[in-house]
Amino acid sequence: MLVYNIIQVILLSLLGLATLYIFIFSIAGLFYKEKAFVKADQYRKIAVLIPGYKEDEVIVEVAKSALQQKYPMGHFDVVVIADSFQADTLAELRKLPVRLIEVSFDKSTKSKALHKGMAALTSSYDIAVILDADNIMAADFLMKINAAFSAGAFAVQGHRTAKNQNTSWAVLDAASEEINNHIFRKGHRVLGLSSAIIGSGMAFQYDFFKTMIADVKAVGGFDKEIELKMLKEKYRISYQDDAMIYDEKVQKAEVFSNQRRRWLSAQLHYFRKDIIPALGHLVTKGNLDYFDKAIQFIQPPRVLLIGALLLLSTIFISGNYFLDNGLNYSTAWLIITMACITAILLSVPRSFYTKKTGLALISLPRGMLAMLKSLLKIKGANKTFIHTKHTSVPDRATLEKSLR
């Protein structure tokens, strides 16, 4: 009984702390209010950087869409950084009024492409906007980003949201994105901490980002390295909820698993690397932002957390009943499980409370297993470039209409 209760207490403590973390920020996210900006003081020169690796199916339409901004044409450039594109694709891109920079590496990474692409640019810019090769900006995205910089922002994460919900996996991925927006962006900003960045739909002071990206060595999770470098130096990352960026969500189980394996590996790598320095900065410099980010990287994925709680609470509550182990432990399991479910429900936008989402939940157990398999195979994944191929470029007007 003693060993049983020790194991139970350890699991309750670990899962309870993880639940408490997302519960606090999910509640905080309910109080998020978008800052109303006055008219921008100037039109800053913006470089819209689109690095892509073998993205021949989507890049031309993405580049065309990126040019259609409600922002003065002379004040932004669309820069396509093309790694291993086909000759026909390059020919189509040369017909467009974009800056095309061809790159090639023995081992391709997004950070290498950005560094080499920016090094090739000779024009002077104020803001660097980073997109993925499948991203579609809302027509007013650059206007919103420029306004945020006019209000004093140094780095801004836009609101990345799904541009497709055509499979159960895409629906679950889309919901996961919005849960993360609520907890790690809205909730964090309400409590005075920096927004998490995602790897695309983000903007930085140009010269700062150009200098910083030159030192980023990450193969996977380059955005994690950027976050840690910034927060360590006490730079604040803002969040702009109404600056919309549409992102393709995964449509198949194997893609879901590979993507999560890359993310989990990167998070574990940076947790190990930064937790001790982050603790030191918290104690000596009061840098809560940096410490919070390191702690955030060890948080279990929400789908695994809720899956573990549902399974373990069932096992231990049943065990406590048959062993006549009292109600305290079982009550604790119930409280933690309900708190986790509540945190998730509070973080999901109302638009997801539909029949389609209900049907997608049937795939949730498979999603939990996929996440578990990813967790068991993460060793070395952050040292290998794992490419997620994109195929969907719907019309932007259709995307914006779907969110009204």
mmCIF file with all atom_site columns, all heavy atoms in Angstrom, residues 292-316:
data_model
loop_
_atom_site.group_PDB
_atom_site.id
_atom_site.type_symbol
_atom_site.label_atom_id
_atom_site.label_alt_id
_atom_site.label_comp_id
_atom_site.label_asym_id
_atom_site.label_entity_id
_atom_site.label_seq_id
_atom_site.pdbx_PDB_ins_code
_atom_site.Cartn_x
_atom_site.Cartn_y
_atom_site.Cartn_z
_atom_site.occupancy
_atom_site.B_iso_or_equiv
_atom_site.pdbx_formal_charge
_atom_site.auth_seq_id
_atom_site.auth_comp_id
_atom_site.auth_asym_id
_atom_site.auth_atom_id
_atom_site.pdbx_PDB_model_num
ATOM 1   N N   . ASP A 1 292 ? 9.559   31.176 -17.213 1.00 0.00 ? 292 ASP A N   1
ATOM 2   C CA  . ASP A 1 292 ? 8.270   30.625 -17.644 1.00 0.00 ? 292 ASP A CA  1
ATOM 3   C C   . ASP A 1 292 ? 8.398   29.893 -18.973 1.00 0.00 ? 292 ASP A C   1
ATOM 4   O O   . ASP A 1 292 ? 7.789   28.837 -19.171 1.00 0.00 ? 292 ASP A O   1
ATOM 5   C CB  . ASP A 1 292 ? 7.238   31.752 -17.771 1.00 0.00 ? 292 ASP A CB  1
ATOM 6   C CG  . ASP A 1 292 ? 5.957   31.281 -18.441 1.00 0.00 ? 292 ASP A CG  1
ATOM 7   O OD1 . ASP A 1 292 ? 5.164   30.571 -17.797 1.00 0.00 ? 292 ASP A OD1 1
ATOM 8   O OD2 . ASP A 1 292 ? 5.756   31.615 -19.630 1.00 0.00 ? 292 ASP A OD2 1
ATOM 9   N N   . LYS A 1 293 ? 9.183   30.453 -19.889 1.00 0.00 ? 293 LYS A N   1
ATOM 10  C CA  . LYS A 1 293 ? 9.345   29.813 -21.192 1.00 0.00 ? 293 LYS A CA  1
ATOM 11  C C   . LYS A 1 293 ? 10.033  28.453 -21.051 1.00 0.00 ? 293 LYS A C   1
ATOM 12  O O   . LYS A 1 293 ? 9.628   27.471 -21.702 1.00 0.00 ? 293 LYS A O   1
ATOM 13  C CB  . LYS A 1 293 ? 10.148  30.724 -22.123 1.00 0.00 ? 293 LYS A CB  1
ATOM 14  C CG  . LYS A 1 293 ? 10.386  30.163 -23.514 1.00 0.00 ? 293 LYS A CG  1
ATOM 15  C CD  . LYS A 1 293 ? 9.104   29.752 -24.212 1.00 0.00 ? 293 LYS A CD  1
ATOM 16  C CE  . LYS A 1 293 ? 8.140   30.881 -24.371 1.00 0.00 ? 293 LYS A CE  1
ATOM 17  N NZ  . LYS A 1 293 ? 6.920   30.467 -25.116 1.00 0.00 ? 293 LYS A NZ  1
ATOM 18  N N   . ALA A 1 294 ? 11.044  28.375 -20.213 1.00 0.00 ? 294 ALA A N   1
ATOM 19  C CA  . ALA A 1 294 ? 11.727  27.091 -19.999 1.00 0.00 ? 294 ALA A CA  1
ATOM 20  C C   . ALA A 1 294 ? 10.773  26.067 -19.391 1.00 0.00 ? 294 ALA A C   1
ATOM 21  O O   . ALA A 1 294 ? 10.751  24.898 -19.796 1.00 0.00 ? 294 ALA A O   1
ATOM 22  C CB  . ALA A 1 294 ? 12.947  27.288 -19.099 1.00 0.00 ? 294 ALA A CB  1
ATOM 23  N N   . ILE A 1 295 ? 9.963   26.506 -18.430 1.00 0.00 ? 295 ILE A N   1
ATOM 24  C CA  . ILE A 1 295 ? 8.974   25.613 -17.809 1.00 0.00 ? 295 ILE A CA  1
ATOM 25  C C   . ILE A 1 295 ? 7.916   25.198 -18.832 1.00 0.00 ? 295 ILE A C   1
ATOM 26  O O   . ILE A 1 295 ? 7.468   24.046 -18.856 1.00 0.00 ? 295 ILE A O   1
ATOM 27  C CB  . ILE A 1 295 ? 8.311   26.321 -16.606 1.00 0.00 ? 295 ILE A CB  1
ATOM 28  C CG1 . ILE A 1 295 ? 9.301   26.476 -15.468 1.00 0.00 ? 295 ILE A CG1 1
ATOM 29  C CG2 . ILE A 1 295 ? 7.070   25.546 -16.148 1.00 0.00 ? 295 ILE A CG2 1
ATOM 30  C CD1 . ILE A 1 295 ? 9.790   25.165 -14.875 1.00 0.00 ? 295 ILE A CD1 1
ATOM 31  N N   . GLN A 1 296 ? 7.543   26.130 -19.697 1.00 0.00 ? 296 GLN A N   1
ATOM 32  C CA  . GLN A 1 296 ? 6.524   25.848 -20.712 1.00 0.00 ? 296 GLN A CA  1
ATOM 33  C C   . GLN A 1 296 ? 6.945   24.695 -21.615 1.00 0.00 ? 296 GLN A C   1
ATOM 34  O O   . GLN A 1 296 ? 6.107   23.891 -22.057 1.00 0.00 ? 296 GLN A O   1
ATOM 35  C CB  . GLN A 1 296 ? 6.294   27.113 -21.534 1.00 0.00 ? 296 GLN A CB  1
ATOM 36  C CG  . GLN A 1 296 ? 5.108   27.077 -22.468 1.00 0.00 ? 296 GLN A CG  1
ATOM 37  C CD  . GLN A 1 296 ? 4.975   28.374 -23.238 1.00 0.00 ? 296 GLN A CD  1
ATOM 38  O OE1 . GLN A 1 296 ? 5.020   28.403 -24.464 1.00 0.00 ? 296 GLN A OE1 1
ATOM 39  N NE2 . GLN A 1 296 ? 4.838   29.480 -22.515 1.00 0.00 ? 296 GLN A NE2 1
ATOM 40  N N   . PHE A 1 297 ? 8.240   24.582 -21.880 1.00 0.00 ? 297 PHE A N   1
ATOM 41  C CA  . PHE A 1 297 ? 8.726   23.546 -22.784 1.00 0.00 ? 297 PHE A CA  1
ATOM 42  C C   . PHE A 1 297 ? 8.602   22.130 -22.212 1.00 0.00 ? 297 PHE A C   1
ATOM 43  O O   . PHE A 1 297 ? 8.657   21.167 -22.968 1.00 0.00 ? 297 PHE A O   1
ATOM 44  C CB  . PHE A 1 297 ? 10.188  23.812 -23.152 1.00 0.00 ? 297 PHE A CB  1
ATOM 45  C CG  . PHE A 1 297 ? 10.371  24.965 -24.094 1.00 0.00 ? 297 PHE A CG  1
ATOM 46  C CD1 . PHE A 1 297 ? 11.589  25.619 -24.184 1.00 0.00 ? 297 PHE A CD1 1
ATOM 47  C CD2 . PHE A 1 297 ? 9.332   25.413 -24.893 1.00 0.00 ? 297 PHE A CD2 1
ATOM 48  C CE1 . PHE A 1 297 ? 11.764  26.680 -25.057 1.00 0.00 ? 297 PHE A CE1 1
ATOM 49  C CE2 . PHE A 1 297 ? 9.491   26.478 -25.761 1.00 0.00 ? 297 PHE A CE2 1
ATOM 50  C CZ  . PHE A 1 297 ? 10.714  27.113 -25.841 1.00 0.00 ? 297 PHE A CZ  1
ATOM 51  N N   . ILE A 1 298 ? 8.454   22.006 -20.902 1.00 0.00 ? 298 ILE A N   1
ATOM 52  C CA  . ILE A 1 298 ? 8.314   20.677 -20.313 1.00 0.00 ? 298 ILE A CA  1
ATOM 53  C C   . ILE A 1 298 ? 6.853   20.313 -20.082 1.00 0.00 ? 298 ILE A C   1
ATOM 54  O O   . ILE A 1 298 ? 6.527   19.215 -19.619 1.00 0.00 ? 298 ILE A O   1
ATOM 55  C CB  . ILE A 1 298 ? 9.112   20.581 -18.989 1.00 0.00 ? 298 ILE A CB  1
ATOM 56  C CG1 . ILE A 1 298 ? 9.427   19.126 -18.621 1.00 0.00 ? 298 ILE A CG1 1
ATOM 57  C CG2 . ILE A 1 298 ? 8.383   21.272 -17.853 1.00 0.00 ? 298 ILE A CG2 1
ATOM 58  C CD1 . ILE A 1 298 ? 10.233  18.374 -19.624 1.00 0.00 ? 298 ILE A CD1 1
ATOM 59  N N   . GLN A 1 299 ? 5.956   21.236 -20.416 1.00 0.00 ? 299 GLN A N   1
ATOM 60  C CA  . GLN A 1 299 ? 4.537   20.933 -20.273 1.00 0.00 ? 299 GLN A CA  1
ATOM 61  C C   . GLN A 1 299 ? 4.139   19.826 -21.254 1.00 0.00 ? 299 GLN A C   1
ATOM 62  O O   . GLN A 1 299 ? 4.477   19.902 -22.435 1.00 0.00 ? 299 GLN A O   1
ATOM 63  C CB  . GLN A 1 299 ? 3.696   22.177 -20.552 1.00 0.00 ? 299 GLN A CB  1
ATOM 64  C CG  . GLN A 1 299 ? 3.859   23.298 -19.547 1.00 0.00 ? 299 GLN A CG  1
ATOM 65  C CD  . GLN A 1 299 ? 3.426   22.886 -18.162 1.00 0.00 ? 299 GLN A CD  1
ATOM 66  O OE1 . GLN A 1 299 ? 2.334   22.369 -17.957 1.00 0.00 ? 299 GLN A OE1 1
ATOM 67  N NE2 . GLN A 1 299 ? 4.309   23.101 -17.202 1.00 0.00 ? 299 GLN A NE2 1
ATOM 68  N N   . PRO A 1 300 ? 3.423   18.816 -20.801 1.00 0.00 ? 300 PRO A N   1
ATOM 69  C CA  . PRO A 1 300 ? 2.990   17.766 -21.734 1.00 0.00 ? 300 PRO A CA  1
ATOM 70  C C   . PRO A 1 300 ? 1.958   18.322 -22.698 1.00 0.00 ? 300 PRO A C   1
ATOM 71  O O   . PRO A 1 300 ? 1.194   19.241 -22.356 1.00 0.00 ? 300 PRO A O   1
ATOM 72  C CB  . PRO A 1 300 ? 2.365   16.709 -20.810 1.00 0.00 ? 300 PRO A CB  1
ATOM 73  C CG  . PRO A 1 300 ? 1.956   17.457 -19.582 1.00 0.00 ? 300 PRO A CG  1
ATOM 74  C CD  . PRO A 1 300 ? 2.965   18.558 -19.422 1.00 0.00 ? 300 PRO A CD  1
ATOM 75  N N   . PRO A 1 301 ? 1.920   17.816 -23.930 1.00 0.00 ? 301 PRO A N   1
ATOM 76  C CA  . PRO A 1 301 ? 0.876   18.234 -24.875 1.00 0.00 ? 301 PRO A CA  1
ATOM 77  C C   . PRO A 1 301 ? -0.498  18.050 -24.250 1.00 0.00 ? 301 PRO A C   1
ATOM 78  O O   . PRO A 1 301 ? -0.734  17.084 -23.508 1.00 0.00 ? 301 PRO A O   1
ATOM 79  C CB  . PRO A 1 301 ? 1.081   17.292 -26.068 1.00 0.00 ? 301 PRO A CB  1
ATOM 80  C CG  . PRO A 1 301 ? 2.498   16.846 -25.965 1.00 0.00 ? 301 PRO A CG  1
ATOM 81  C CD  . PRO A 1 301 ? 2.801   16.789 -24.503 1.00 0.00 ? 301 PRO A CD  1
ATOM 82  N N   . ARG A 1 302 ? -1.419  18.972 -24.556 1.00 0.00 ? 302 ARG A N   1
ATOM 83  C CA  . ARG A 1 302 ? -2.732  18.942 -23.921 1.00 0.00 ? 302 ARG A CA  1
ATOM 84  C C   . ARG A 1 302 ? -3.449  17.634 -24.161 1.00 0.00 ? 302 ARG A C   1
ATOM 85  O O   . ARG A 1 302 ? -4.093  17.081 -23.269 1.00 0.00 ? 302 ARG A O   1
ATOM 86  C CB  . ARG A 1 302 ? -3.586  20.108 -24.441 1.00 0.00 ? 302 ARG A CB  1
ATOM 87  C CG  . ARG A 1 302 ? -3.561  21.366 -23.594 1.00 0.00 ? 302 ARG A CG  1
ATOM 88  C CD  . ARG A 1 302 ? -2.177  21.915 -23.363 1.00 0.00 ? 302 ARG A CD  1
ATOM 89  N NE  . ARG A 1 302 ? -1.546  22.289 -24.621 1.00 0.00 ? 302 ARG A NE  1
ATOM 90  C CZ  . ARG A 1 302 ? -0.234  22.403 -24.793 1.00 0.00 ? 302 ARG A CZ  1
ATOM 91  N NH1 . ARG A 1 302 ? 0.595   22.105 -23.808 1.00 0.00 ? 302 ARG A NH1 1
ATOM 92  N NH2 . ARG A 1 302 ? 0.274   22.761 -25.959 1.00 0.00 ? 302 ARG A NH2 1
ATOM 93  N N   . VAL A 1 303 ? -3.331  17.073 -25.362 1.00 0.00 ? 303 VAL A N   1
ATOM 94  C CA  . VAL A 1 303 ? -4.037  15.829 -25.673 1.00 0.00 ? 303 VAL A CA  1
ATOM 95  C C   . VAL A 1 303 ? -3.475  14.666 -24.857 1.00 0.00 ? 303 VAL A C   1
ATOM 96  O O   . VAL A 1 303 ? -4.213  13.775 -24.424 1.00 0.00 ? 303 VAL A O   1
ATOM 97  C CB  . VAL A 1 303 ? -3.975  15.534 -27.194 1.00 0.00 ? 303 VAL A CB  1
ATOM 98  C CG1 . VAL A 1 303 ? -2.551  15.218 -27.645 1.00 0.00 ? 303 VAL A CG1 1
ATOM 99  C CG2 . VAL A 1 303 ? -4.909  14.396 -27.558 1.00 0.00 ? 303 VAL A CG2 1
ATOM 100 N N   . LEU A 1 304 ? -2.163  14.673 -24.603 1.00 0.00 ? 304 LEU A N   1
ATOM 101 C CA  . LEU A 1 304 ? -1.565  13.626 -23.772 1.00 0.00 ? 304 LEU A CA  1
ATOM 102 C C   . LEU A 1 304 ? -1.922  13.824 -22.301 1.00 0.00 ? 304 LEU A C   1
ATOM 103 O O   . LEU A 1 304 ? -2.149  12.850 -21.577 1.00 0.00 ? 304 LEU A O   1
ATOM 104 C CB  . LEU A 1 304 ? -0.043  13.622 -23.931 1.00 0.00 ? 304 LEU A CB  1
ATOM 105 C CG  . LEU A 1 304 ? 0.541   12.772 -25.047 1.00 0.00 ? 304 LEU A CG  1
ATOM 106 C CD1 . LEU A 1 304 ? 2.067   12.781 -24.974 1.00 0.00 ? 304 LEU A CD1 1
ATOM 107 C CD2 . LEU A 1 304 ? 0.034   11.339 -24.981 1.00 0.00 ? 304 LEU A CD2 1
ATOM 108 N N   . LEU A 1 305 ? -1.956  15.068 -21.866 1.00 0.00 ? 305 LEU A N   1
ATOM 109 C CA  . LEU A 1 305 ? -2.285  15.355 -20.476 1.00 0.00 ? 305 LEU A CA  1
ATOM 110 C C   . LEU A 1 305 ? -3.686  14.882 -20.131 1.00 0.00 ? 305 LEU A C   1
ATOM 111 O O   . LEU A 1 305 ? -3.896  14.184 -19.129 1.00 0.00 ? 305 LEU A O   1
ATOM 112 C CB  . LEU A 1 305 ? -2.151  16.862 -20.203 1.00 0.00 ? 305 LEU A CB  1
ATOM 113 C CG  . LEU A 1 305 ? -2.519  17.332 -18.790 1.00 0.00 ? 305 LEU A CG  1
ATOM 114 C CD1 . LEU A 1 305 ? -1.636  16.661 -17.745 1.00 0.00 ? 305 LEU A CD1 1
ATOM 115 C CD2 . LEU A 1 305 ? -2.400  18.859 -18.698 1.00 0.00 ? 305 LEU A CD2 1
ATOM 116 N N   . ILE A 1 306 ? -4.649  15.247 -20.964 1.00 0.00 ? 306 ILE A N   1
ATOM 117 C CA  . ILE A 1 306 ? -6.025  14.846 -20.674 1.00 0.00 ? 306 ILE A CA  1
ATOM 118 C C   . ILE A 1 306 ? -6.191  13.337 -20.825 1.00 0.00 ? 306 ILE A C   1
ATOM 119 O O   . ILE A 1 306 ? -6.918  12.692 -20.058 1.00 0.00 ? 306 ILE A O   1
ATOM 120 C CB  . ILE A 1 306 ? -7.022  15.623 -21.563 1.00 0.00 ? 306 ILE A CB  1
ATOM 121 C CG1 . ILE A 1 306 ? -8.430  15.518 -20.980 1.00 0.00 ? 306 ILE A CG1 1
ATOM 122 C CG2 . ILE A 1 306 ? -7.006  15.136 -22.998 1.00 0.00 ? 306 ILE A CG2 1
ATOM 123 C CD1 . ILE A 1 306 ? -9.403  16.483 -21.603 1.00 0.00 ? 306 ILE A CD1 1
ATOM 124 N N   . GLY A 1 307 ? -5.490  12.731 -21.788 1.00 0.00 ? 307 GLY A N   1
ATOM 125 C CA  . GLY A 1 307 ? -5.545  11.280 -21.951 1.00 0.00 ? 307 GLY A CA  1
ATOM 126 C C   . GLY A 1 307 ? -4.965  10.556 -20.746 1.00 0.00 ? 307 GLY A C   1
ATOM 127 O O   . GLY A 1 307 ? -5.543  9.580  -20.257 1.00 0.00 ? 307 GLY A O   1
ATOM 128 N N   . ALA A 1 308 ? -3.822  11.050 -20.245 1.00 0.00 ? 308 ALA A N   1
ATOM 129 C CA  . ALA A 1 308 ? -3.192  10.438 -19.082 1.00 0.00 ? 308 ALA A CA  1
ATOM 130 C C   . ALA A 1 308 ? -4.076  10.569 -17.849 1.00 0.00 ? 308 ALA A C   1
ATOM 131 O O   . ALA A 1 308 ? -4.202  9.626  -17.047 1.00 0.00 ? 308 ALA A O   1
ATOM 132 C CB  . ALA A 1 308 ? -1.832  11.089 -18.830 1.00 0.00 ? 308 ALA A CB  1
ATOM 133 N N   . LEU A 1 309 ? -4.699  11.730 -17.684 1.00 0.00 ? 309 LEU A N   1
ATOM 134 C CA  . LEU A 1 309 ? -5.562  11.936 -16.522 1.00 0.00 ? 309 LEU A CA  1
ATOM 135 C C   . LEU A 1 309 ? -6.801  11.042 -16.563 1.00 0.00 ? 309 LEU A C   1
ATOM 136 O O   . LEU A 1 309 ? -7.184  10.454 -15.540 1.00 0.00 ? 309 LEU A O   1
ATOM 137 C CB  . LEU A 1 309 ? -5.981  13.406 -16.433 1.00 0.00 ? 309 LEU A CB  1
ATOM 138 C CG  . LEU A 1 309 ? -4.938  14.345 -15.819 1.00 0.00 ? 309 LEU A CG  1
ATOM 139 C CD1 . LEU A 1 309 ? -5.321  15.803 -16.016 1.00 0.00 ? 309 LEU A CD1 1
ATOM 140 C CD2 . LEU A 1 309 ? -4.748  14.036 -14.334 1.00 0.00 ? 309 LEU A CD2 1
ATOM 141 N N   . LEU A 1 310 ? -7.405  10.934 -17.728 1.00 0.00 ? 310 LEU A N   1
ATOM 142 C CA  . LEU A 1 310 ? -8.591  10.079 -17.833 1.00 0.00 ? 310 LEU A CA  1
ATOM 143 C C   . LEU A 1 310 ? -8.244  8.621  -17.547 1.00 0.00 ? 310 LEU A C   1
ATOM 144 O O   . LEU A 1 310 ? -8.992  7.914  -16.844 1.00 0.00 ? 310 LEU A O   1
ATOM 145 C CB  . LEU A 1 310 ? -9.197  10.205 -19.234 1.00 0.00 ? 310 LEU A CB  1
ATOM 146 C CG  . LEU A 1 310 ? -9.892  11.540 -19.544 1.00 0.00 ? 310 LEU A CG  1
ATOM 147 C CD1 . LEU A 1 310 ? -10.261 11.617 -21.020 1.00 0.00 ? 310 LEU A CD1 1
ATOM 148 C CD2 . LEU A 1 310 ? -11.135 11.728 -18.679 1.00 0.00 ? 310 LEU A CD2 1
ATOM 149 N N   . LEU A 1 311 ? -7.115  8.160  -18.065 1.00 0.00 ? 311 LEU A N   1
ATOM 150 C CA  . LEU A 1 311 ? -6.703  6.767  -17.853 1.00 0.00 ? 311 LEU A CA  1
ATOM 151 C C   . LEU A 1 311 ? -6.285  6.519  -16.410 1.00 0.00 ? 311 LEU A C   1
ATOM 152 O O   . LEU A 1 311 ? -6.776  5.578  -15.752 1.00 0.00 ? 311 LEU A O   1
ATOM 153 C CB  . LEU A 1 311 ? -5.554  6.426  -18.805 1.00 0.00 ? 311 LEU A CB  1
ATOM 154 C CG  . LEU A 1 311 ? -4.952  5.018  -18.652 1.00 0.00 ? 311 LEU A CG  1
ATOM 155 C CD1 . LEU A 1 311 ? -6.001  3.954  -18.969 1.00 0.00 ? 311 LEU A CD1 1
ATOM 156 C CD2 . LEU A 1 311 ? -3.726  4.863  -19.552 1.00 0.00 ? 311 LEU A CD2 1
ATOM 157 N N   . LEU A 1 312 ? -5.384  7.371  -15.901 1.00 0.00 ? 312 LEU A N   1
ATOM 158 C CA  . LEU A 1 312 ? -4.842  7.142  -14.559 1.00 0.00 ? 312 LEU A CA  1
ATOM 159 C C   . LEU A 1 312 ? -5.872  7.393  -13.468 1.00 0.00 ? 312 LEU A C   1
ATOM 160 O O   . LEU A 1 312 ? -5.877  6.694  -12.438 1.00 0.00 ? 312 LEU A O   1
ATOM 161 C CB  . LEU A 1 312 ? -3.613  8.024  -14.344 1.00 0.00 ? 312 LEU A CB  1
ATOM 162 C CG  . LEU A 1 312 ? -2.392  7.645  -15.196 1.00 0.00 ? 312 LEU A CG  1
ATOM 163 C CD1 . LEU A 1 312 ? -1.269  8.659  -15.008 1.00 0.00 ? 312 LEU A CD1 1
ATOM 164 C CD2 . LEU A 1 312 ? -1.893  6.240  -14.838 1.00 0.00 ? 312 LEU A CD2 1
ATOM 165 N N   . SER A 1 313 ? -6.748  8.373  -13.652 1.00 0.00 ? 313 SER A N   1
ATOM 166 C CA  . SER A 1 313 ? -7.779  8.614  -12.632 1.00 0.00 ? 313 SER A CA  1
ATOM 167 C C   . SER A 1 313 ? -8.721  7.419  -12.541 1.00 0.00 ? 313 SER A C   1
ATOM 168 O O   . SER A 1 313 ? -9.133  7.023  -11.437 1.00 0.00 ? 313 SER A O   1
ATOM 169 C CB  . SER A 1 313 ? -8.558  9.895  -12.950 1.00 0.00 ? 313 SER A CB  1
ATOM 170 O OG  . SER A 1 313 ? -9.265  9.783  -14.176 1.00 0.00 ? 313 SER A OG  1
ATOM 171 N N   . THR A 1 314 ? -9.041  6.828  -13.687 1.00 0.00 ? 314 THR A N   1
ATOM 172 C CA  . THR A 1 314 ? -9.888  5.631  -13.684 1.00 0.00 ? 314 THR A CA  1
ATOM 173 C C   . THR A 1 314 ? -9.203  4.478  -12.948 1.00 0.00 ? 314 THR A C   1
ATOM 174 O O   . THR A 1 314 ? -9.819  3.798  -12.123 1.00 0.00 ? 314 THR A O   1
ATOM 175 C CB  . THR A 1 314 ? -10.211 5.202  -15.127 1.00 0.00 ? 314 THR A CB  1
ATOM 176 O OG1 . THR A 1 314 ? -10.907 6.267  -15.793 1.00 0.00 ? 314 THR A OG1 1
ATOM 177 C CG2 . THR A 1 314 ? -11.088 3.956  -15.139 1.00 0.00 ? 314 THR A CG2 1
ATOM 178 N N   . ILE A 1 315 ? -7.915  4.291  -13.254 1.00 0.00 ? 315 ILE A N   1
ATOM 179 C CA  . ILE A 1 315 ? -7.161  3.195  -12.630 1.00 0.00 ? 315 ILE A CA  1
ATOM 180 C C   . ILE A 1 315 ? -7.051  3.398  -11.126 1.00 0.00 ? 315 ILE A C   1
ATOM 181 O O   . ILE A 1 315 ? -7.332  2.494  -10.322 1.00 0.00 ? 315 ILE A O   1
ATOM 182 C CB  . ILE A 1 315 ? -5.763  3.076  -13.258 1.00 0.00 ? 315 ILE A CB  1
ATOM 183 C CG1 . ILE A 1 315 ? -5.877  2.579  -14.704 1.00 0.00 ? 315 ILE A CG1 1
ATOM 184 C CG2 . ILE A 1 315 ? -4.875  2.132  -12.436 1.00 0.00 ? 315 ILE A CG2 1
ATOM 185 C CD1 . ILE A 1 315 ? -4.566  2.606  -15.461 1.00 0.00 ? 315 ILE A CD1 1
ATOM 186 N N   . PHE A 1 316 ? -6.635  4.585  -10.700 1.00 0.00 ? 316 PHE A N   1
ATOM 187 C CA  . PHE A 1 316 ? -6.371  4.808  -9.280  1.00 0.00 ? 316 PHE A CA  1
ATOM 188 C C   . PHE A 1 316 ? -7.651  4.964  -8.460  1.00 0.00 ? 316 PHE A C   1
ATOM 189 O O   . PHE A 1 316 ? -7.696  4.538  -7.299  1.00 0.00 ? 316 PHE A O   1
ATOM 190 C CB  . PHE A 1 316 ? -5.460  6.029  -9.093  1.00 0.00 ? 316 PHE A CB  1
ATOM 191 C CG  . PHE A 1 316 ? -4.009  5.718  -9.326  1.00 0.00 ? 316 PHE A CG  1
ATOM 192 C CD1 . PHE A 1 316 ? -3.371  6.096  -10.491 1.00 0.00 ? 316 PHE A CD1 1
ATOM 193 C CD2 . PHE A 1 316 ? -3.277  5.012  -8.374  1.00 0.00 ? 316 PHE A CD2 1
ATOM 194 C CE1 . PHE A 1 316 ? -2.052  5.798  -10.718 1.00 0.00 ? 316 PHE A CE1 1
ATOM 195 C CE2 . PHE A 1 316 ? -1.943  4.709  -8.580  1.00 0.00 ? 316 PHE A CE2 1
ATOM 196 C CZ  . PHE A 1 316 ? -1.320  5.098  -9.763  1.00 0.00 ? 316 PHE A CZ  1
#
